[in-house]
Amino acid sequence: MKKILALILALCMVFALAACGEKPAETPSAPPSDTPADAPADAPAGPGVLNVCIASEPDSIDPALNSAVDGATLTSHLFQGLATWSQDKDGKLVIVPAAVEELVEGVQNEDGTVTYTYTLRDGLKWSDGKPVTAGDFVFAWNRAASPQLAADYSYMFEVIDGYAKMWESKPTGEKDAEGKEVEEFVNPDAKLNVTAVDDKTLEVVLANPVAYWNELLAFPAYFPVREDVVESAAWATDAGTYICNGPYKMAKWDHNSIITLEKNPDFVDADSITIDTINFYLSNDSNNMLTNFKNGDWQLIDDVPTNEIATLKQDYPDEFVVAGQIGTYYVCWNINEEILPADCKLTGAEAEAAKAEIRKAIGLLLDRNYIVEEIGQAGQVPASSFVAMGMTNPDGSQFYETAGDSKDYVGYYDVSADAFENNFNKAVEILKKYYSFDEATMKFTNFPTLSYLYNTNDSHKAIGEYVQSALAGVGITVNMENQEWNTFLNTRKSGGYSMARNGWVADYNDPICFLDMWISNSGNNDIQFGKDEHQSVNIYNLDLTDLGFDVKVENGTWAETYDVLISLIKGCTDNEVRYELMHRAEDMLMDTGCIVPLYFYTDIYMLDDSVQGFFSNPLGYKYFMHCTVQ
């Protein structure tokens, strides 16, 4: 365990250094969809061909709409943004210029905004041969940020001047079919402050300095798309209509079977691309993956059967890889789920406070050490906070180690093995305040039946079954609901669950990427904070006067408190104050009990020893374009 922990921290420090030289959903961590168990390799691996399986049928590979790690890996091979992840001569991960000549320094303006002026490289082309222009980036970023597209990651453009105006809204005085207040956007024609000075010159104005700006430029949501291509909503679902500007173009997409990428001869750096063809097989069957890896058909697989891990560590010591990853695996609650007993008399703020206490108590019933040791088996670290290990404070200390206010343990509850019995007993006593308890059976008798939503994957199923068993032990019935990846993502997004498995991997090297996803209008806000019934819940307090802000809200809504806090964080230029604000944001999240962290991720995959030149980053993205196969 100590060896694996050291590895994770070392890689996280590499990541941090890469960011300073100027993380991701999961982004949810994408598990593998349907493919025939005996699917043969489309082409034998060789000097120019690589066969891999990173996941199942992707939910979307439109760069603006993707929100999963598998989709990010695919789009990183198909598109080129202004910046990209790379390795230096020593193997260190770095952010480097991609579609631009250099990653320039910003110029501070008198009003506090910051202007960046980029020059696109000569020879940039789309995969159909047309030139890539600065105007393509202007269009793509405005599209991705727009309320009209409502992309999951639209909030990632909040740092650009003009975003706030795009999203400014007001009530219309009308109600929809469900009786909810209808709002309209005040400035439907508003745009980001991004300008194509000419075809090769892009000017970007940020609302204020942003330390992780270069990392955003390497993020898929910031990739360009062409206006005439994306006019059809189905453009990103078929190889025949998929126009891109990266090192590869899509040659074939047999849905639920295989996506084949071929080297793009028009790519500006085509000479550096060493693999001609990448076959991305689509599967959620970890046994099928392992079979194809063992027989040599697939050179990389991103999942293995849980019950094979111990054997694989022994039999494939050089090919079974446990890599560092900055992410958290957790259970999330739908905040609008009714969990109080039918005869409960609590209403309003008292009822909401009770539900938060109940959710936190149920989190204490779970033995995280059992989960990582018996199910995970790959060096995962029990988690007591949401912001993952690897994120650091300004003084270099770990953000998660300074979370919460306990002097006795790290985080929001004690996850040491010795503490589990005490946690369990504490949880039972809390639940007794709200539910009938049978002392003879030691079980609660009137807890509403819950659902646990998970996507097809052996380890997700095993963890879900453990949660089901742990809660059944105290009389709480949990029905397991399994869905394929695409369906699962959309069900969770719409709030169609009681509890769901979830995970988040850093999008860039700053704790805010674990926190801003929970604002009311975020497409990644699966918990439904500030949505539906929760939109009008007035129980949250925010007092920032001690930090010099004129902000003091008592019994406010989520939008009036948490959303305001995140906006202040993004506009704060005092680093010490900014990190204190982020700790307070995590305090608010964890106090709802809706996020139940289980462990900090490691990235497990198998890589054939014939493959050289492969690398991945702690966001979970895998890069094959510079590989060779011996």
Side-chain angles (χ1 to χ4, degrees), residues 69 385 391 515 524-525 603 610:
V69 173
S385 59
M391 292 292 178
L515 303 171
N524 289 316
N525 176 12
D603 189 13
S610 65

Side-chain angles (χ1 to χ4, degrees), residues 366-425:
L366 305 179
D367 186 346
R368 290 154 179 81
N369 289 278
Y370 174 86
I371 291 172
V372 302
E373 292 168 10
E374 301 300 325
I375 301 175
Q377 301 184 52
Q380 297 93 340
V381 178
S384 62
S385 59
F386 179 57
V387 177
M389 178 171 57
M391 292 292 178
T392 56
N393 294 304
D395 64 1
S397 62
Q398 289 282 315
F399 191 92
Y400 84 98
E401 291 182 335
T402 53
D405 57 7
S406 174
K407 294 182 174 62
D408 300 320
Y409 50 82
V410 169
Y412 296 91
Y413 38 79
D414 193 344
V415 295
S416 63
D418 293 342
F420 177 64
E421 183 177 354
N422 184 60
N423 287 344
F424 184 93
N425 293 335

Side-chain angles (χ1 to χ4, degrees), residues 107-129:
V107 176
Q108 186 101 27
N109 303 313
E110 290 185 1
D111 62 357
T113 61
V114 183
T115 299
Y116 289 82
T117 304
Y118 298 99
T119 302
L120 299 188
R121 295 169 61 190
D122 292 333
L124 299 180
K125 292 182 180 180
W126 293 99
S127 55
D128 62 358

Side-chain angles (χ1 to χ4, degrees), residues 123-441:
L124 299 180
K125 292 182 180 180
W126 293 99
S127 55
D128 62 358
K130 293 184 179 180
V132 175
T133 69
D136 293 327
F137 285 91
V138 173
F139 167 77
W141 292 7
N142 276 293
R143 171 180 179 260
S146 70
Q148 292 75 27
L149 187 67
D152 287 354
Y153 274 119
S154 63
Y155 61 86
M156 270 204 169
F157 294 86
E158 188 176 13
V159 298
I160 299 178
D161 183 48
Y163 177 89
K165 190 173 183 179
M166 292 176 73
W167 281 84
E168 186 179 349
S169 63
K170 67 178 181 180
T172 63
E174 300 177 356
K175 295 185 182 297
D176 62 17
E178 298 179 356
K180 298 170 186 173
E181 189 80 36
V182 175
E183 294 197 346
E184 65 180 2
F185 293 102
V186 177
N187 306 296
D189 298 323
K191 301 290 183 183
L192 298 173
N193 195 346
V194 182
T195 307
V197 178
D198 54 45
D199 281 352
K200 286 192 61 182
T201 308
L202 181 69
E203 184 178 274
V204 186
V205 181
L206 303 190
N208 49 261
V210 176
Y212 49 88
W213 173 239
N214 283 350
E215 292 179 70
L216 287 179
L217 295 179
F219 191 74
Y222 277 77
F223 291 167
V225 294
R226 210 171 72 208
E227 185 171 8
D228 64 306
V229 172
V230 304
E231 285 176 348
S232 168
W235 76 275
T237 62
D238 185 84
T241 54
Y242 199 90
I243 304 300
C244 50
N245 75 321
Y248 292 88
K249 56 184 180 180
M250 191 183 300
K252 179 172 67 172
W253 187 350
D254 291 339
H255 289 275
N256 294 306
S257 181
I258 188 174
I259 295 176
T260 297
L261 306 188
E262 291 184 352
K263 183 176 176 178
N264 178 9
D266 288 326
F267 180 55
V268 65
D269 292 318
D271 290 346
S272 72
I273 306 304
T274 54
I275 290 291
D276 296 324
T277 302
I278 309 174
N279 293 306
F280 285 90
Y281 287 89
L282 308 174
S283 177
N284 65 7
D285 185 340
S286 58
N287 289 293
N288 173 45
M289 295 182 200
L290 185 57
T291 297
N292 279 285
F293 181 85
K294 285 183 174 181
N295 66 25
D297 283 340
W298 297 351
Q299 286 71 59
L300 181 140
I301 58 173
D302 213 13
D303 191 25
V304 298
T306 300
N307 60 0
E308 294 278 358
I309 289 177
T311 301
L312 292 172
K313 288 179 181 177
Q314 179 177 333
D315 294 349
Y316 294 85
D318 298 324
E319 295 174 297
F320 180 83
V321 181
V322 178
Q325 192 169 46
I326 302 180
T328 306
Y329 189 107
Y330 62 103
V331 174
C332 66
W333 286 87
N334 177 351
I335 197 167
N336 293 310
E337 181 78 359
E338 183 52 71
I339 56 175
L340 290 169
D343 59 353
C344 181
K345 305 301 182 185
L346 296 176
T347 59
E350 289 185 339
E352 293 299 327
K355 287 190 281 188
E357 187 177 28
I358 290 163
R359 289 187 292 257
K360 287 187 284 186
I362 288 178
L364 294 176
L365 295 173
L366 305 179
D367 186 346
R368 290 154 179 81
N369 289 278
Y370 174 86
I371 291 172
V372 302
E373 292 168 10
E374 301 300 325
I375 301 175
Q377 301 184 52
Q380 297 93 340
V381 178
S384 62
S385 59
F386 179 57
V387 177
M389 178 171 57
M391 292 292 178
T392 56
N393 294 304
D395 64 1
S397 62
Q398 289 282 315
F399 191 92
Y400 84 98
E401 291 182 335
T402 53
D405 57 7
S406 174
K407 294 182 174 62
D408 300 320
Y409 50 82
V410 169
Y412 296 91
Y413 38 79
D414 193 344
V415 295
S416 63
D418 293 342
F420 177 64
E421 183 177 354
N422 184 60
N423 287 344
F424 184 93
N425 293 335
K426 179 181 177 182
V428 169
E429 291 306 310
I430 291 171
L431 295 175
K432 283 181 179 180
K433 294 164 54 177
Y434 305 104
Y435 304 96
S436 299
F437 187 71
D438 186 334
E439 296 289 348
T441 62

Side-chain angles (χ1 to χ4, degrees), residues 3-20:
K3 182 178 180 181
I4 295 295
L5 179 57
L7 169 65
I8 297 168
L9 290 173
L11 285 173
C12 291
M13 282 187 272
V14 168
F15 186 28
L17 287 171
C20 292

